[in-house]
Amino acid sequence: MNFVNFTWMILLPLAGAPLIYLLGRIGILRWPGTLGPGLARWVCAAILLAAGVVFVQSALTFNQTSIQTFTLGAVNLRLDGLALLISGLALVLGFLVAIFSGPYLAGEDDQEKYYALLALLVGSISGLACAADLFNLWVWFEAMALSTYVLVAFYEARPESLEAGVKYLVQSAVGSALVVFAIAAVFAATGVLDLERIHTVARSSPLLLGAGALFMVGFGVKAALVPLHTWLPDAHSQAPSGISALLSGVVIEAGLIAMLRALGALMGVSLIWGPLLLVFGAANMLFGNLMALRQNQVKRLLAYSSLAHVGYMLLGLGVSMTFGLANGAEGAFFHLLNHGLMKALAFLSAGALLYALYIAHDEHRPLTVEDLAGAARRYPLPTFALSVAVLGLGGLPPLAGFMSKWQIFVAGFQTHDIRIYALVIFAALNSLLSLGYYAPIVNRMYRHKASPRVLEGDPLPAIMAIPLVLLALAVIVLGILPNLATWLTAPAAGSLLAVLGGGG
Amino acid sequence: MAVVLTLMTIALPWVGALAVWLIGDARSRLQSALAVAFSAAAGLVSLALIPYATGGYEFSVFDAGEAFGRFTFAPDGLGVYLAVIATIIGCLAVVFSLDYMKGEHQLGRYYAFVLFFVGAMAGLVLASNLFLVFLFWEITALCSYALISFHNDDPKAVAGGIKALIITGLGGIGLLVGALLAYSYLGTFNISLFLQNAGQMPAGALATVAFGFLAAAAAKSAQFPFQTWLPDAMEAPTPVSALIHAATMVNAGVYLLARFYPAFAAVPAWRITVISIGVITALMAASMAVVSNDLKRVLAYSTVSQLGYMVYAIGAGGIFASQFHLLNHSAFKALLFLGAGAVIHATGTRDLRLMGGLGRAMPVTRAVFIIGSLALVGIPVLNGFWSKELVLEAGFLGGPLWAYLLAILTAGLTALYTYRCLYLVFYGPSHGKIPPHDAGYAMRAALYPLAIAALVTWLLAGPFSRMLAASLPFHEVDLLPTWEMAVEVLSAPQTFLALAVIALGLAAWRWRERLSPVANAFHGLAQAASNSYGFEWLNRQVVTLTQEAGEALRSTQTGQLNWNVVAIAGALVLVLAIVILGSVL
């Protein structure tokens, strides 16, 4: 029996956002110094924690056969397995980022807006995941996008930051416009917007084929499909590190989920969606890895690597959509979870080092790979955390990335299709290639001879260590006991396959 | 009881790795004491496992779900003896490191990775689940990379580590493909079930698994065409070279071939490919050892060459011969590497041209090095003699004649480079600094047991064959008591042929001045050998091409918003086209 409806998971952060802003503003006006922003930060963290409690309760009472729903006017929400996965990830990462950002943003203006927007971002991601019809999907998607536009351009005094924000805004808006066209086309062709009902009535027609293509490209901008990804390197590297972690960890995945929801509804229209995802997946993997190989700015390198990891997820999802295999979807969602954790860990550790080496000295320059030399001597924890994150992303055991990639590859071979075998081998080769840029980072950090920046760096505040330790533990534990995540990934796969099973 | 012992063989070194790391580098004496204690404990536990290696026993730790299988372990003869080698030589390497690595920085990281590796190696050979085998395979690759590039400030070490990681990873894809293919057809990851039902797979799929596993084994054991990573791996600290690149990790490939031989023996062209790879590698590596001037590289090429012998034996069906040679080789090659470590530590160089005459200052080291060399060359009554002759005999009976002749030629070359190496280090005039003292006590504590091992492990032939025959239901291993083995080897005409060729090899070095016109005739070949027959060039080309591809793609990130939006529009057009085509066709 629920004592609290799952919708509180969405409502708390959403309603909390203006509250955080108000309290923060009052705090800054009445008490000078760090108390004002601190108030905003802790209220934000408390709200996200409360939403987390609701999430835990919803997860414990989750039943695959009787999905909880909520309808209020035009708001239509369903908590299925996929929604559970994404909301959970967003809440966990949001909470850790809120804690991390305290010292990171110390001294900056507009912090209360940052925390308010952070809560808004997490709430809108949960809303997007629970959306039960196309209109809801689009509204929550836009809410999420709006909060990220401002957060990317947070350092508004710096031209590079603004440039990244503007490019992201324009390209994302183009994508959203395409999505609106698609929704209009679907409504024109079927007369309904509810995802499940579209799925039952949609049959092949030029309008719906066009809608599917528009959905794929429109949501694909946000999901960073190649060649729609060009906003990503700038946005992920210019944003504050906590926001980079959320962008790579949940926001692009949310875009991917929105695409899956929309295309899932159109499964009766064409069988081409799955193979198209496979093509994009191959492009993402190769492009992301080759571009990351040439980067020497750490955050840009991690941004490009996110492209590659979206590629692995697309491989699993494409296999699932084309061949109906559970392992494909389960592996892809497991990789979504793991990538969220590992990439957040990577960005937060890089952020911690960026803070200690640059921000604490009031310098705003990008962290380069050369700066990392010898970091292990003075900053053992962020170094270890970054090594765990990066080697996990490269797919080395006993870390989480190895497990999820394996599951995706299992699905690939269960297809008994030689083209998919080739694609899996291609993915494995890409994984190996990625070690070519991850491993040198680790080696550099454990050098004995430290870079000048490391020697002059400030000490790291203790509170920044908490998210690093928690995420590193999660990555290691999931790498040893992969079935600890099955309670999340299996229902998510189930909800995707339910859509696929009835289609085409 | 077997369950506890098996799991402890894997878990003890891992707990030790964690303990060593958490203790911290500040408490270095406690740290090294813990490292020795845990590695010794693991060795004892694995020895205690031997009586339980009666075969047919398998247990499962937990069920990790459909995609990962049940985590099962099977302590049979093949697995247990390799676990014993890994833990015992691991312990000796740690003891040796007490002297060798004294005063180095970040030793916690060193000991932790060595212990982590030992546990992973034990896990690899004791696991009975294909996913677990791949998991441990990749963990050993991680540890090998971390230990080769231990001296992160040395770019050669870092490059060597990454090269080893990538090349063995490349082969690992073969193992990945094979395991997945087997699972997709047989529905299980269990190795015993695979060996039982391999025939039910479609012929093409089984052949892919067979050659995929062969690629993985070739990469891990540095066989042709994947041999380039092992010489560069010599940048690792020498105890690591002794443990990982002589006695354990490189054996993993040979283990893989031996373990799965019953399933693949019937695959067309598989056995002849294995034989060819083995014998070509053996000859090629031996030729590169003859011209190398780096002490550790000579030993590295020698390892590759001896592994080639083992692979050759497996291809010819001589499972016992190959494993017996693996056992003996681990002992004498670890001995040679640790002896070389003592020399390198004392002289500060790896270059043979800067050594010479060290025997006077380092008599103990010279003595053990001589024992190791005699075993490597294959002189009776050392352990290498017996197993090498068994390998050659198996090759003669089970393989083509051309392979046998090349193998014999390699034996001669082995004698040549070994004598050359021994001479250049310990005899003749001195070209470099004279070390003030011989190997330290910790070093000797590691060297003496290995020297004794090189003299006596061949006596284990009987019990070893019994253990293998009893515990491997799918392999055909004949019982071969030690006395019978000795008689068989001593009475076979192939033995005398081999000894004659070996004598020629030794004589070739002894009379090198008189034979110098002959040596000059081979000058072109020697040049090619020292350039590793073009494989290094090939490696560099692949790396350069990849870097250039990445560089070329950078132009797509124009930085101009207009072009970015054009890309979105272009993608839309492309997707629409594909969708329309898809619906029309």
Side-chain angles (χ1 to χ4, degrees), chain A residues 314-469:
Chain A
L314 286 170
L315 173 61
L317 292 169
V319 162
S320 207
M321 286 180 96
T322 315
F323 296 91
L325 287 163
N327 269 325
E330 216 175 298
F333 291 134
F334 191 25
H335 196 64
L336 194 152
L337 175 67
N338 287 340
H339 174 254
L341 295 171
M342 291 187 292
K343 199 40 80 63
L345 179 62
F347 269 115
L348 291 182
S349 339
L353 289 169
L354 181 62
Y355 171 82
L357 301 184
Y358 285 98
I359 296 179
H361 301 275
D362 235 352
E363 289 178 52
H364 288 275
R365 293 220 298 273
L367 182 71
T368 62
V369 177
E370 284 84 28
D371 292 332
L372 290 177
R377 286 177 65 198
R378 294 202 59 208
Y379 305 101
L381 182 64
T383 305
F384 179 69
L386 187 56
S387 306
V388 165
V390 141
L391 293 176
L393 287 166
L396 285 176
L399 301 170
F402 174 78
M403 294 295 177
S404 47
K405 283 187 189 171
W406 169 269
Q407 193 166 17
I408 295 175
F409 294 164
V410 168
F413 269 81
Q414 282 178 310
T415 62
H416 289 294
D417 184 326
I418 199 165
R419 294 165 301 182
I420 308 294
Y421 292 169
L423 197 53
V424 170
I425 294 176
F426 179 73
L429 284 170
N430 268 289
S431 195
L432 201 60
L433 174 61
S434 72
L435 285 172
Y437 56 83
Y438 288 136
I441 295 179
V442 179
N443 281 110
R444 205 175 277 262
M445 288 194 294
Y446 282 98
R447 280 194 189 173
H448 185 60
K449 188 166 180 295
S451 72
R453 285 233 80 97
V454 166
L455 291 171
E456 293 162 20
D458 271 18
L460 209 62
I463 202 166
M464 280 174 131
I466 297 172
L468 299 183
V469 168

Side-chain angles (χ1 to χ4, degrees), chain B residues 219-421:
Chain B
K220 199 71 144 183
S221 295
Q223 300 293 290
F224 171 88
F226 298 105
Q227 76 280 7
T228 45
W229 68 268
L230 193 61
D232 286 353
M234 293 300 116
E235 300 299 325
T238 306
V240 168
S241 303
L243 174 64
I244 296 187
H245 305 125
T248 44
M249 191 180 85
V250 293
N251 291 337
V254 177
Y255 161 77
L256 196 73
L257 291 175
R259 170 71 74 191
F260 290 96
Y261 178 81
F264 302 147
V267 172
W270 187 77
R271 286 182 54 204
I272 192 69
T273 314
V274 174
I275 290 175
S276 309
I277 288 180
V279 95
I280 289 174
T281 307
L283 185 58
M284 199 170 70
S287 71
M288 293 199 277
V290 171
V291 299
S292 175
N293 287 319
D294 178 326
L295 174 57
K296 283 179 76 172
R297 274 188 179 235
V298 171
L299 293 177
Y301 289 128
S302 166
T303 302
V304 173
S305 182
Q306 294 302 304
L307 289 168
Y309 270 118
M310 293 175 223
V311 170
Y312 167 53
I314 291 180
I319 302 293
F320 173 71
S322 76
Q323 299 309 299
F324 190 42
H325 195 53
L326 200 158
L327 173 69
N328 295 335
H329 173 261
S330 304
F332 68 70
K333 196 44 73 62
L335 173 65
L336 283 170
F337 262 108
L338 291 184
V343 168
I344 293 169
H345 195 251
T347 59
T349 178
R350 282 159 46 185
D351 194 329
L352 288 171
R353 295 165 296 198
L354 297 176
M355 296 181 189
L358 294 177
R360 292 181 287 276
M362 304 180 75
V364 172
T365 311
R366 178 181 61 181
V368 298
F369 209 88
I370 289 176
I371 293 176
S373 304
L374 289 174
L376 172 59
V377 168
I379 304 290
V381 75
L382 286 106
N383 62 1
F385 164 68
W386 305 100
S387 53
K388 185 178 286 193
E389 296 307 326
L390 281 177
V391 163
L392 288 171
E393 192 183 317
F396 181 73
L397 294 172
L401 186 63
W402 63 265
Y404 177 73
L405 292 173
L406 287 181
I408 292 274
L409 175 61
T410 308
L413 282 178
T414 307
L416 173 60
Y417 70 67
T418 311
Y419 191 8
R420 170 178 178 263
C421 183

Side-chain angles (χ1 to χ4, degrees), chain A residues 167 171 209 230 233 287 294 304 327 397 402 406 410 413-414 416 429 432 439 443 446-449 483, chain B residues 63 66-67 105-106 131 134-135 138 145 149 152-153 170 176 180 184-185 189 547 551 556-557 559 564:
Chain A
K167 282 186 190 160
Q171 290 184 260
L209 285 175
T230 36
F287 199 87
R294 302 303 298 157
Y304 278 116
N327 269 325
F402 174 78
W406 169 269
V410 168
F413 269 81
Q414 282 178 310
H416 289 294
L429 284 170
L432 201 60
N443 281 110
Y446 282 98
R447 280 194 189 173
H448 185 60
K449 188 166 180 295
N483 40 343
Chain B
D63 193 341
E66 187 227 332
H105 302 278
Q106 301 183 19
F131 165 71
F134 182 64
L135 176 104
E138 293 292 294
Y145 147 72
S149 56
N152 284 298
D153 296 77
L170 206 56
L176 173 74
L180 291 175
S184 75
Y185 280 104
F189 286 110
Q547 305 266 30
E551 194 63 36
T556 60
Q557 191 73 13
N564 295 350

